[in-house]
Amino acid sequence: MLKIALDNVYMDKILGGVVQVDDFTRNLLKINKIIQKEGPSQNVIACINRSDYMLDKNSRNSTNLLKIRQVEVNAIASGMSSHSCNTMAMHNYLMAKYKVVKPNNDYMPENKSLQFVSQGVIESFDSYGKPDAHILLIIEERSINFSDQFAIELTVSKIRPDIQFIRRSFNSLPDIIKLGPNKELILEGNKEIGLVYFRCGYDPTNYNFEGAWDVRLLLERSRAIKNPSINFHISGAKKFQQVLNSREQLERFLNPYEADRLAKTFCKFWSIEDSTPDGNEGFQIGLNPSKKLVLKPQREGGGHNVYGKDVRPFLQRLPHAEERSQYILMEYIDSPLEKNWLLLCDDEPFKEPSKLDSYDRLVSELGIYGSIIADGSNIKSNKYAGYLVRSKKYGVNEGGVQSGCAGLSSLILVDDTRDDFNSSVYYD
Ligand code: ADP
Ligand code: MG
């Protein structure tokens, strides 16, 4: 992703079709071009990211092992790190309290997501080199992720009480930020910002206020370190996932060994761009009702994808062929159905033990947090930063917790050579 972020020519080429029809991606790319042309005033690139995976039962081989498939990489505003480690602590506690015995070799790996993500925030701030500067956390005007973000602020303050943390909504910024004589980012007249931590800015609706794109440009122009900077943000576009599905493209950035290891987690993708041979072939695959597919635009944050049987009519109803460029087509990951219980906000916690005899049928998604800091192409630190497990009921498409579709869960690594492994964990 870093290599993509630093390769403007490649970025332009790959997203060329997308920007014709997608204003949001066009605006991001436009700002990146301005910054590259002017020369960035900050070479440090930082990003707290999260790569999401699901288990794929169709890839099960003769030994019955399930493979993981990558769903997407989040390169901006990766959330939930605060709650995921608490969920694990809760499950551990409850299992001990109710004497749930795990088979010998199964274990719950430690999850320090909150601590690691907070350390990533601190490290990116420290790269600015001015201890008396501030961290600016940018949020939506009404943020339902408040408790997740605030726990990070709290943890940062515990580890480093000297760091001053400021939280402001994106739309409040036009009147309160400006650049200093050396492109310092100055907030409210006198506070120098060392790190801008974006927990907003990934969705077009975040920019529905006067001067929104000017604000993003000003932030990117400033010397403050951005987590993430706009080029890294763009490198998380789903279009790159589709393009890197080609071995030739992947080896542009990685050696064959690295490419092999990474490609093992990849799903199949197709471009459906009009007027290209590959795109026309992909489009025909999308129209094939027997294929299990997901159609995705270049969007983040849930609610934008088209699933399964809806893909064909959606493609047939697209008004202009050029609009196909903003979508990618992805193979549907057929996850095994787990036996488990999911408690959503409208559910009554069950009081009768008899209810425990019946399970919900759930599908889970594993997110692996990472924190990267680079000085140009020179990687200073690139660390694992804990994990997240979200579970949703079978048949529910979106996997968002805040949107009420999924719940948080924990990870148990199981011994899959165990005789009863499949029947105790999965339905099929
Ligand atoms: P977003 O950026 O909106 O989070 P995602 O690519 O993560 O987009 O898709 C949203 C959700 O849809 C995922 O969390 C997952 O539950 C489901 N999903 C996405 N891609 C696939 C796929 N190929 N197969 C099965 N489910 C998928
Ligand atoms: Mg997602």
Side-chain angles (χ1 to χ4, degrees):
M1 290 173 81
L2 180 66
K3 285 176 179 169
I4 290 174
L6 294 170
D7 192 339
N8 298 307
V9 177
Y10 188 72
M11 231 178 220
D12 269 0
K13 184 176 152 218
I14 300 301
L15 296 175
V18 177
V19 301
Q20 301 289 322
V21 283
D22 178 353
D23 292 346
F24 179 67
T25 309
R26 183 169 56 243
N27 280 324
L28 293 176
L29 217 60
K30 194 166 123 194
I31 291 181
N32 188 40
K33 270 193 178 159
I34 296 173
I35 301 299
Q36 299 312 321
K37 205 167 159 202
E38 292 175 356
S41 38
Q42 178 55 261
N43 280 325
V44 173
I45 294 176
C47 182
I48 305 279
N49 48 76
R50 201 189 65 226
S51 183
D52 293 334
Y53 303 87
M54 292 169 93
L55 286 170
D56 178 12
K57 69 178 180 200
N58 291 334
S59 67
R60 220 180 262 180
N61 61 19
S62 52
T63 53
N64 245 349
L65 293 180
L66 291 156
K67 289 206 172 126
I68 56 164
R69 295 268 177 248
Q70 186 179 52
V71 177
E72 64 153 351
V73 190
N74 301 280
I76 180 168
S78 302
M80 288 285 161
S81 62
S82 316
H83 304 314
S84 53
C85 53
N86 282 332
T87 310
M88 147 119 194
M90 176 189 76
H91 280 151
N92 250 332
Y93 166 73
L94 291 175
M95 284 170 82
K97 180 171 175 178
Y98 294 106
K99 302 190 174 46
V100 178
V101 183
K102 292 190 282 278
N104 282 345
N105 292 330
D106 297 358
Y107 79 104
M108 296 169 80
E110 189 177 39
N111 188 10
K112 294 188 173 176
S113 49
L114 174 58
Q115 187 186 330
F116 288 166
V117 165
S118 303
Q119 274 164 350
V121 170
I122 292 171
E123 266 180 60
S124 44
F125 170 76
D126 283 343
S127 306
Y128 190 67
K130 266 197 172 181
D132 59 346
H134 300 64
I135 295 179
L136 173 64
L137 172 70
I138 301 184
I139 55 168
E140 289 143 324
E141 189 172 21
R142 183 178 168 274
S143 177
I144 52 170
N145 254 337
F146 169 79
S147 57
D148 181 48
Q149 295 151 2
F150 188 69
I152 295 174
E153 176 174 348
L154 203 61
T155 309
V156 167
S157 85
K158 276 187 199 153
I159 304 173
R160 284 281 298 279
D162 57 302
I163 297 180
Q164 305 177 74
F165 218 103
I166 303 173
R167 193 172 55 244
R168 293 287 180 273
S169 67
F170 197 23
N171 62 342
S172 74
L173 295 182
D175 297 332
I176 54 176
I177 55 168
K178 64 171 193 219
L179 291 186
N182 294 311
K183 303 233 176 116
E184 303 91 342
L185 180 62
I186 307 293
L187 183 91
E188 291 156 358
N190 58 359
K191 300 179 192 87
E192 181 172 347
I193 305 299
L195 173 72
V196 174
Y197 177 27
F198 284 101
R199 290 297 297 262
C200 172
Y202 54 83
D203 190 80
T205 56
N206 300 152
Y207 295 79
N208 283 347
F209 63 93
E210 184 91 19
W213 288 106
D214 294 337
V215 165
R216 184 76 194 257
L217 176 60
L218 190 143
L219 295 170
E220 299 298 330
R221 264 187 178 142
S222 77
R223 292 172 75 91
I225 291 168
K226 274 73 62 179
N227 194 321
S229 51
I230 201 154
N231 50 359
F232 207 95
H233 175 184
I234 297 169
S235 79
K238 294 180 168 78
K239 183 70 187 172
F240 292 114
Q241 255 184 302
Q242 174 248 304
V243 171
L244 294 179
N245 210 231
S246 131
R247 188 60 191 220
E248 191 193 331
Q249 295 292 322
L250 196 58
E251 287 194 22
R252 222 187 117 95
F253 301 104
L254 300 172
N255 66 40
Y257 170 73
E258 293 166 331
D260 260 350
R261 294 192 64 198
L262 207 57
K264 277 189 185 147
T265 68
F266 286 179
C267 283
K268 279 204 198 94
F269 286 88
W270 298 268
S271 157
I272 58 160
E273 273 187 49
D274 184 34
S275 316
T276 64
D278 284 356
N280 287 334
E281 196 190 316
F283 190 67
Q284 289 312 314
I285 289 170
L287 293 175
N288 182 344
S290 66
K291 287 263 183 200
K292 285 181 105 175
L293 302 162
V294 184
L295 184 73
K296 300 185 176 186
Q298 308 307 305
R299 289 285 174 277
E300 302 292 334
H304 305 288
N305 300 340
V306 181
Y307 298 86
K309 61 177 177 23
D310 297 334
V311 171
R312 180 184 154 91
F314 185 90
L315 290 178
Q316 286 170 329
R317 280 200 305 268
L318 279 179
H320 306 291
E322 308 88 76
E323 287 186 32
R324 283 162 37 185
S325 305
Q326 62 183 302
Y327 298 96
I328 56 161
L329 202 56
M330 183 178 183
E331 159 191 26
Y332 185 84
I333 307 167
D334 229 343
S335 284
L337 308 185
E338 297 153 24
K339 295 174 179 175
N340 213 327
W341 301 280
L342 178 64
L343 200 60
L344 292 174
C345 48
D346 293 333
D347 291 340
E348 275 275 309
F350 35 75
K351 297 177 191 95
E352 309 138 45
S354 65
K355 284 251 175 99
L356 293 173
D357 295 340
S358 66
Y359 299 93
D360 287 324
R361 299 195 303 166
L362 303 185
V363 167
S364 294
E365 194 167 340
L366 172 67
I368 303 287
Y369 295 98
S371 170
I372 182 167
I373 299 171
D375 192 351
S377 60
N378 182 12
I379 295 175
K380 297 279 183 197
S381 118
N382 187 19
K383 291 182 187 160
Y384 161 74
Y387 65 85
L388 165 77
V389 182
R390 291 173 295 176
S391 299
K392 60 182 181 180
K393 286 190 185 161
Y394 172 64
V396 173
N397 287 326
E398 298 291 335
V401 173
Q402 297 288 352
S403 58
C405 297
L408 292 173
S409 193
S410 300
L411 187 63
I412 294 193
L413 297 180
V414 297
D415 175 3
D416 51 24
T417 57
R418 220 168 71 202
D419 286 346
D420 67 339
F421 165 64
N422 273 314
S423 61
S424 66
V425 181
Y426 297 121
Y427 271 99
D428 46 352

